Amino acid sequence: MEVFRLGELRHLLVTVFLSGLAEYLIRPVMTDVTVAAVCSGLDDSCSLAVYLTGVQQVTVGLGTMVMMPVIGNLSDRYGIKAMLTLPMCLSVLPPAILGYRRDTNFFYAFYVIKTLFDMVCQGTIDCLANAYVAKNVHGTKRISMFGILAGVSSISGVCASLSARFLSIASTFQVAAISLFIGLVYMRVFLKERLQDADDDDEADSGGCRSHQEVHNGGDLKMLTEPILRDAPTKTHVFNTKYSSWKDMVSLINNSTILIQALVVTFFATFSESGRGSALMYFLKARFGFNKNDFAELFLLVTIIGSISQLFILPTLSSTIGERKVLSTGLLMEFFNATCLSVAWSPWVPYAMTMLVPGAMFVMPSVCGIASRQVGSSEQGKVQGCISGVRAFAQVVAPFVYSPLTALFLSENAPFYFPGFSILCIAISLMIGFLQSLLIKDHPSLPLVNITINNPSKAEA
């Protein structure tokens, strides 16, 4: 049974690799494409490009903040494979547009379509992939698989960065669209649903499934009544529970202090990551004149170090010092990284700071591992959707802070000369997340209560 499971995870990893390849291919060229399309004279510090990126982040964040809990909840009911199909289909069109032409009109068409589609697509593949791993891998191996999943995504970034270094801009978008299409076909053909295996049920019973407490709240009553009352009319329950994602999410949060703390850390980590994503690129372009090739080289170095960290260092650390300490270590490394970048005085500084990249790679796998242990296999989709919803909310808030701040301090109207001031603010946000991570306990509470609730016959015996 273990060989079959590894085979199924291999198909998932190929799907994640192909989708990640397309995402990382586009990233190094978007700054140049945006500036060329909307800024006259290729002004490196064009504020319009910064604001357009910020508006897109806010709009997409609002959409994903609503959609992620819904998609996570529906994946528990109708399967991860079915829910993966929609975002992978929608993701093909935007890069195909810029693969055809990249003038102002086509850029705005791409901008509008990608913004609308990303309200459903952005983060969905990662969210559902994490839920798939959490459903099929149990115990201490789960955090290692989260690291491997993130490592495969980083490896796709290595391949994308190498390709972007030599591909033309048009070819870059064309290859991204083809990669997404191949990933969609591969996923539909090879990936199988394994959500209700007997092994999973046994693992859940012995692993302290917290999720079955939710039955008493009425949210998942249908899951218990269907096997007993097979002929009972349950369509009404399905119709009602399709719209209960937010209620389920609130119930999960209220029942676990550790989950609340993990979500707080998720917010500050994503708030910083989202702000740094655009602020750092525009800062490097305006401060040191970075272009597509420079960004591709930097991303290549980052992804090589990140993939090695996630595939080899993270599993070793998590088994040695525990998930909570790995999380705190990662956030502290990110803090020092952002602090040094904010005062970068030479083009070689961003390259030197890549030695702290492993910190960023440790954070989300550790959070997913900590959060996944608070529920059973039947509610992993809800938990991952909850995490993605918090990440989306942080992505909504971040542009309101960092886009105006970045544009202001890169312009001639800055109140004082500090081009990296917005990145320093990101470092402060990371420090808040680090302090919160110190409060998370190393082990979940009340496992014996869960076993008693889930196995009353054993308690009576």
Side-chain angles (χ1 to χ4, degrees):
M1 194 68 182
E2 194 67 27
V3 175
F4 177 74
R5 173 171 298 171
L6 291 175
E8 291 306 299
L9 291 177
R10 182 172 66 248
H11 296 318
L12 176 70
L13 296 178
V14 171
T15 303
V16 170
F17 174 84
L18 291 171
S19 62
L21 179 67
E23 178 184 354
Y24 285 110
L25 270 173
I26 295 174
R27 188 175 297 179
V29 303
M30 276 312 303
T31 302
D32 286 346
V33 170
T34 303
V35 171
V38 305
C39 301
S40 59
L42 295 178
D43 183 5
D44 288 344
S45 60
C46 175
S47 298
L48 178 59
V50 179
Y51 282 115
L52 281 176
T53 303
V55 170
Q56 185 179 54
Q57 288 179 338
V58 171
T59 307
V60 170
L62 287 172
T64 53
M65 182 174 63
V66 176
M67 290 302 300
M68 283 300 147
V70 176
I71 290 174
N73 193 18
L74 293 178
S75 71
D76 287 332
R77 303 179 186 280
Y78 303 115
I80 291 176
K81 183 175 180 178
M83 300 310 299
L84 270 173
T85 303
L86 176 62
M88 297 193 72
C89 283
L90 296 179
S91 298
V92 176
L93 181 58
I97 294 175
L98 290 186
Y100 178 67
R101 287 185 65 179
R102 288 158 306 284
D103 58 24
T104 301
N105 292 332
F106 276 83
F107 171 80
Y108 280 114
F110 160 84
Y111 180 84
V112 172
I113 292 175
K114 182 170 176 59
T115 300
L116 293 176
F117 285 1
D118 277 0
M119 293 172 72
V120 177
C121 301
Q122 190 175 78
T124 302
I125 296 175
D126 292 336
C127 170
L128 295 177
N130 286 332
Y132 192 93
V133 168
K135 287 174 182 288
N136 290 277
V137 181
H138 302 274
T140 57
K141 295 182 179 179
R142 183 177 289 170
I143 179 62
S144 298
M145 276 308 306
F146 281 133
I148 292 173
L149 186 65
V152 168
S153 180
S154 297
I155 291 174
S156 70
V158 173
C159 298
S161 297
L162 283 172
S163 302
R165 183 66 178 83
F166 301 102
L167 290 173
S168 66
I169 292 180
S171 298
T172 298
F173 288 103
Q174 292 165 2
V175 172
I178 293 172
S179 177
L180 287 167
F181 179 76
I182 294 175
L184 170 63
V185 174
Y186 184 93
M187 183 272 296
R188 293 299 305 172
V189 173
F190 293 105
L191 190 66
K192 296 180 181 179
E193 291 286 355
R194 297 186 62 249
L195 304 181
Q196 302 295 333
D197 283 358
D199 288 350
D200 291 347
D201 294 336
D202 293 339
E203 291 274 359
D205 288 339
S206 62
C209 290
R210 190 180 184 89
S211 61
H212 293 286
Q213 293 180 1
E214 306 300 327
V215 171
H216 300 288
N217 295 331
D220 291 324
L221 185 60
K222 180 179 71 67
M223 297 176 65
L224 291 180
T225 58
E226 279 187 343
I228 300 173
L229 304 177
R230 191 175 300 276
D231 298 328
T234 57
K235 292 184 177 180
T236 303
H237 291 286
V238 175
F239 180 80
N240 290 336
T241 53
K242 283 169 63 177
Y243 302 96
S244 63
S245 301
W246 284 98
K247 180 181 177 181
D248 293 340
M249 185 172 69
V250 172
S251 297
L252 288 173
I253 294 174
N254 289 338
N255 285 332
S256 175
T257 302
I258 295 177
L259 183 56
I260 295 174
Q261 294 170 331
L263 292 178
V264 172
V265 173
T266 299
F267 172 81
F268 283 105
T270 307
F271 180 71
S272 305
E273 176 188 355
S274 179
R276 183 171 51 187
S278 60
L280 180 60
M281 294 179 69
Y282 287 109
F283 166 71
L284 295 177
K285 188 172 183 65
R287 184 81 168 83
F288 303 117
F290 273 39
N291 56 27
K292 176 182 78 72
N293 292 336
D294 296 317
F295 287 129
E297 292 171 354
L298 185 60
F299 287 148
L300 176 61
L301 188 58
V302 167
T303 49
I304 289 175
I305 296 175
S307 59
I308 293 173
S309 302
Q310 290 167 327
L311 290 174
F312 302 106
I313 300 177
L314 177 59
T316 302
L317 282 179
S318 62
S319 61
T320 304
I321 64 176
E323 298 164 351
R324 201 274 300 166
K325 292 180 180 178
V326 172
L327 175 61
S328 300
T329 301
L331 289 167
L332 187 61
M333 293 173 67
E334 279 203 273
F335 166 76
F336 287 119
N337 188 9
T339 302
C340 294
L341 287 174
S342 67
V343 294
W345 60 92
S346 177
W348 61 264
V349 174
Y351 294 95
M353 287 301 102
T354 56
M355 63 182 179
L356 296 176
V357 162
M361 304 301 172
F362 293 163
V363 174
M364 288 316 301
S366 299
V367 168
C368 290
I370 292 170
S372 67
R373 290 192 300 166
Q374 308 309 305
V375 298
S377 61
S378 63
E379 290 184 335
Q380 292 298 333
K382 294 184 182 70
V383 168
Q384 299 304 325
C386 182
I387 293 174
S388 297
V390 172
R391 286 172 62 84
F393 176 67
Q395 290 168 352
V396 171
V397 177
F400 285 108
V401 177
Y402 294 121
S403 291
L405 207 59
T406 302
L408 176 61
F409 279 89
L410 291 180
S411 69
E412 297 178 354
N413 299 322
F416 52 90
Y417 182 76
F418 196 163
F421 183 75
S422 59
I423 302 177
L424 180 63
C425 294
I426 290 171
I428 296 173
S429 175
L430 287 167
M431 176 53 66
I432 297 174
F434 166 73
L435 295 176
Q436 177 61 46
S437 72
L438 298 177
L439 303 178
I440 299 177
K441 296 180 180 179
D442 289 320
H443 301 287
S445 58
L446 301 177
L448 296 176
V449 174
N450 292 331
I451 295 174
T452 303
I453 292 174
N454 296 331
N455 300 280
S457 60
K458 295 181 182 180
E460 292 175 359

